[in-house]
Amino acid sequence: MARAAAIPLSRLSPLLLLLLLRETGAQDVWVQVLPEVQGRLGGSVELPCHLLPPTSNVRVSQVTWLRLGVATVAAFHPSFGVHFPNPQFSKDRLSFVKASQDASADQRDATLAFQGLVVEDEGNYTCEFATFPNGTRRGVTWLRVIAQPESHAEAQEVTLGPEPVPVARCVSAGGRPPARITWISPLGGEARDTQELGPQAGTVTVISRYTLVPVSQVDGVKVTCRVDHESYEEPVLLPVTLSVRYPPEVSISGYDDNWYLGRSEAVLTCDVRSNPEPTGYDWSTTSGVFPASAVIQGSQLLVHSVDHLVNTTFICTVTNAVGTGRAEQLILVRDTPQASRDVGPLVWGAVGGTLLVLLLLAGGSVAFILLRGRRRRKSLGGAGGGSNGDRGSYDTKTQVFGNGGPVFWTPTAPGPMRPDGRDEEEEEEEEKAEEGLMLPPPPGSLKDDMESHLDGSLISRRAVYV
Ligand SMILES: *[C@@H]1O[C@H](CO)[C@@H](O)[C@H](O)[C@H]1NC(C)=O
Ligand SMILES: *[C@@H]1O[C@H](CO)[C@@H](O)[C@H](O)[C@H]1NC(C)=O
Ligand SMILES: *[C@@H]1O[C@H](CO)[C@@H](O)[C@H](O)[C@H]1NC(C)=O
């Protein structure tokens, strides 16, 4: 449709268009009004209306403002003055801004002013000039009466439960038209809106309740109520911190699996999340016998010297206004410290690691020599394969060699301990080796990304190795 209309217009020559426009302007007079005017409830507003062009020599015989269904609301006659025939639009509230009894006043400006706007003033108003000799000209303005709402939001304190309940409330009172309320939240709750009559006639109060299942994770989360209204220059944002009351969620920390006879100053800590704050901590044991060597200090249990009696399960029970939570910790008392047993594996690990590094270096050198001889990819995989089982130290080596120089990319082929996708990885490693030999690889992180793309999976290279 738009296109069809555009074609004939574009066929008119610009000169002809200009002539047409000039001629309508010169020939006749017209009325200029705003299509829409907004006024505040209780406030004042002006409905502009002008007879144009100002140079025309027509005579204004009467100006009338009419409203559909109410008929004349205001009239001005150069000889008889102003008249407001309708009690709803009395001269206390309505006036002509320029045109008045004064005959010298500008009769081409029929701008009408309203005071103390009421909801009933809303409507379409016709500004009508009766002219001599050119007859009647008119324009229509839509007067809208709006009211700015008062908005506020608050959390609804709720207690942990299985059913969705309102956890926050946002109220936008006395808006006209009704405000629009939305919630900005990291949680998946839903808004339930209701409307009621506002404090002033013709206004609406919107109440939005942000509703979700009150689990403990909701406690302390910040959400925002956003209120949009045409009287606001920008949306009003009202932050709310949610509050869910829930019984203590308890865990015990401090046990390192190395409590041995005679160990001093062993401590268990009762870690608690709760709302409201805990009112009390209670420590006990499953055996019912509380070791004399253990001292309770609020959320902590201090054992000055570990003895046989500590070889039990401790229970921390925490209470708040909502309820009670508890956690248990099994304490295994050892005859001797565990650390001494750890020495063996550590030493062997170190020795093994050193050997592996040496092996890798040797393997790398061999591969390098072979490669220089044949310049064939296949030989790379063969030389690197099966050389490594220690993934922890292996990772660092890969990074260091990878950034340091091309030669040592060879040993990065997977070892026999690789958990899965061995063949694929071998191929990748070969590609990498090849890359490495031609160009020094870009620094670490980029490399990681590249692999995850090649791979087609979301597992990053680091994740596979570590
Ligand atoms: C009044 O209208 C007539 C045609 O109806 C036109 O010729 C004349 O120019 C108009 N007067 C003015 C002042 O526009
Ligand atoms: C006034 O006129 C406009 C446009 O013609 C229309 O959309 C609007 O509903 C009217 N308003 C009233 C109160 O009749
Ligand atoms: C602690 O109890 C476990 C059994 O629960 C037992 O095997 C262990 O020997 C005990 N330790 C000491 C030091 O009594």
Side-chain angles (χ1 to χ4, degrees):
M1 287 292 276
R3 186 167 295 174
I7 291 165
L9 251 183
S10 64
R11 287 205 186 127
L12 291 172
S13 82
L15 185 66
L16 184 58
L17 250 170
L18 205 79
L19 280 175
L20 277 177
L21 288 175
R22 274 186 58 182
E23 259 170 323
T24 43
Q27 246 179 9
D28 213 346
V29 289
W30 72 94
V31 172
Q32 187 186 55
V33 292
L34 291 173
E36 183 185 320
V37 169
Q38 289 189 356
R40 292 287 178 85
L41 185 63
S44 51
V45 72
E46 288 185 1
L47 307 188
C49 178
H50 297 272
L51 186 69
L52 293 176
T55 51
S56 65
N57 57 2
V58 296
R59 294 192 55 184
V60 176
S61 37
Q62 182 169 327
V63 178
T64 315
W65 279 92
L66 303 121
R67 193 182 149 180
L68 197 73
V70 184
T72 305
V73 297
F76 165 72
H77 188 279
S79 314
F80 305 132
V82 292
H83 183 52
F84 300 95
N86 194 303
Q88 188 200 327
F89 301 97
S90 68
K91 68 178 189 317
D92 300 333
R93 295 204 304 123
L94 266 61
S95 58
F96 284 96
V97 175
K98 285 281 168 56
S100 67
Q101 295 91 331
D102 184 356
S104 67
D106 184 0
Q107 295 163 10
R108 292 154 196 272
D109 183 345
T111 301
L112 185 67
F114 282 74
Q115 283 179 340
L117 274 177
V118 293
V119 168
E120 290 75 27
D121 292 338
E122 186 162 289
N124 283 303
Y125 291 83
T126 305
C127 173
E128 195 173 274
F129 279 91
T131 69
F132 182 84
N134 291 48
T136 305
R137 299 289 179 272
R138 43 178 79 87
V140 179
T141 294
W142 182 12
L143 172 60
R144 297 183 60 207
V145 178
I146 63 169
Q148 184 168 57
E150 292 283 330
S151 303
H152 67 273
E154 75 251 333
Q156 307 282 96
E157 193 165 276
V158 297
T159 303
L160 188 85
E163 298 297 327
V165 292
V167 293
R169 203 171 81 115
C170 189
V171 180
S172 186
R176 177 185 173 90
R180 292 175 305 283
I181 297 181
T182 48
W183 293 88
I184 305 163
S185 164
L187 306 168
E190 67 173 46
R192 293 182 184 167
D193 292 1
T194 54
Q195 291 193 353
E196 51 189 53
L197 293 179
Q200 281 176 288
T203 65
V204 175
T205 295
V206 182
I207 302 164
S208 179
R209 293 177 177 85
Y210 185 65
T211 304
L212 45 69
V213 177
V215 293
S216 66
Q217 288 82 357
V218 168
D219 185 54
V221 172
K222 290 184 172 61
V223 300
T224 302
C225 170
R226 174 185 161 141
V227 186
D228 284 279
H229 193 265
E230 45 204 284
S231 65
Y232 293 151
E233 271 178 26
E234 45 191 49
V236 168
L237 300 175
L238 303 162
V240 178
T241 303
L242 302 180
S243 172
V244 174
R245 290 155 54 90
Y246 61 100
E249 292 179 356
V250 186
S251 61
I252 296 176
S253 63
Y255 179 60
D256 58 1
D257 196 21
N258 190 23
W259 286 32
Y260 50 88
L261 287 175
R263 175 171 169 174
S264 62
E265 306 305 334
V267 179
L268 289 183
T269 304
C270 197
D271 303 307
V272 182
R273 287 181 66 235
S274 80
N275 179 18
E277 290 299 305
T279 49
Y281 292 83
D282 181 48
W283 288 91
S284 57
T285 64
T286 46
S287 62
V289 181
F290 200 80
S293 52
V295 178
I296 297 168
Q297 288 193 347
S299 65
Q300 288 198 319
L301 184 78
L302 265 67
V303 182
H304 291 302
S305 179
V306 173
D307 56 23
H308 283 98
L309 285 174
V310 175
N311 199 23
T312 182
T313 298
F314 283 96
I315 304 166
C316 176
T317 307
V318 185
T319 307
N320 73 353
V322 181
T324 299
R326 51 183 263 162
E328 296 186 357
Q329 177 66 59
L330 174 75
I331 303 293
L332 184 76
V333 174
R334 301 170 181 280
D335 292 322
T336 50
Q338 200 197 5
S340 59
R341 265 179 271 169
D342 263 346
V343 171
L346 272 177
V347 168
W348 285 115
V351 171
T354 315
L355 277 174
L356 281 172
V357 169
L358 286 176
L359 264 174
L360 288 177
L361 287 172
S365 311
V366 169
F368 185 55
I369 291 161
L370 284 178
L371 200 80
R372 284 190 70 166
R374 294 194 245 159
R375 296 218 176 263
R376 281 188 56 205
R377 289 179 56 167
K378 275 286 170 195
S379 63
L380 285 169
S387 58
N388 189 3
D390 184 348
R391 271 173 263 148
S393 63
Y394 187 65
D395 188 31
T396 23
K397 288 302 159 205
T398 305
Q399 304 260 340
V400 169
F401 290 154
N403 294 330
V407 179
F408 298 106
W409 274 94
T410 331
T412 63
M417 298 278 284
R418 197 58 42 109
D420 51 41
R422 196 186 159 211
D423 291 344
E424 274 174 37
E425 281 192 12
E426 242 166 27
E427 266 175 40
E428 277 168 36
E429 295 293 347
E430 279 172 27
E431 277 170 28
K432 212 173 285 152
E434 202 171 49
E435 258 175 68
L437 284 164
M438 293 192 283
L439 282 171
S445 62
L446 190 62
K447 201 75 194 161
D448 286 350
D449 285 345
M450 283 174 67
E451 172 149 1
S452 64
H453 286 297
L454 282 172
D455 203 61
S457 76
L458 292 173
I459 303 161
S460 86
R461 182 159 167 270
R462 214 177 284 279
V464 170
Y465 281 16
V466 170

